[in-house]
Amino acid sequence: MVDPEQPWYWEGNVQRVAVAALKSDGWTIRSTADTATRRPGIDIVASLNERALWVSVKGYPVGTPRTKPPTQARHWFSQAIFDLICYRTDNPTVELALCLPDIGATYRNLCIKSEWALMTLPASVIWITEQGSCRWNSLGEVT
C-alpha cells in the first residue's frame, strides 16, 4: 500500500508500486529494503522461474534550502548506478534494473546520458508514474 503521507515519488511509494507490478507479472518478491529506515541492501530482490532480479530504487527529492531537487536527484542517480555496478560484481548472472519515478526531465536525461553504462551492465529501467503505473524499458530503451 502506498503511503499517503508521502509524495507519490517518495522512494518507499515508488518501491511499493514496483513490487506490486512485479508480483502481477508473476515475479516472486524475495526481499525488499526498508526505505523508511534507509536500511542498506538491495531494494528489491525478485525471482521468476530460474531468473533472478535485483533492483535499485530511487525516489525524487523534495530539495533543501541549499540543494535543489535536480541536483540532489543527480547524486541519487549516481548512487543507483554505483549500486548496479556493485550488484554486477556480486553476481554476474543476475538481471539488474533501476527503478525511478517518471517525474520531470532529470532522471530521463540522466538515463539517456548513461545509456552506455546501462547497456554494458546490462540493466533495465523501470519507470513509475504518478498514476501508479509501471513501464519497463528493456536494455537500451531508456527514452
Side-chain angles (χ1 to χ4, degrees), residues 11 18 35 43 50 53 57 67 69 91-92 94 96 100 110-111 116 121-122 127-128 133 137:
E11 185 172 318
T35 58
D43 294 322
E50 300 299 315
L53 173 67
V57 179
T67 307
N91 187 327
V94 71
L96 301 174
L100 302 167
L110 289 167
C111 283
W116 174 88
L121 282 166
W127 295 103
I128 305 300
S133 66
N137 289 114

Side-chain angles (χ1 to χ4, degrees), residues 62-86:
V62 294
T64 69
R66 294 178 45 152
T67 307
K68 295 183 187 262
T71 301
Q72 187 64 44
R74 285 190 291 277
H75 291 288
W76 289 3
F77 183 86
S78 297
Q79 181 59 54
I81 294 294
F82 185 69
D83 287 346
L84 296 178
I85 291 167
C86 292

Side-chain angles (χ1 to χ4, degrees), residues 90-142:
D90 291 344
N91 187 327
T93 62
V94 71
E95 293 181 40
L96 301 174
L98 174 59
C99 183
L100 302 167
D102 194 359
I103 181 172
T106 301
Y107 282 146
R108 184 163 306 283
N109 289 338
L110 289 167
C111 283
I112 290 168
K113 289 180 180 182
S114 302
E115 187 171 23
W116 174 88
L118 293 169
M119 290 177 62
T120 301
L121 282 166
S124 298
V125 179
I126 302 169
W127 295 103
I128 305 300
T129 69
E130 183 173 4
Q131 295 74 30
S133 66
C134 178
R135 188 177 74 254
W136 186 296
N137 289 114
S138 298
L139 306 174
E141 296 178 18
V142 292

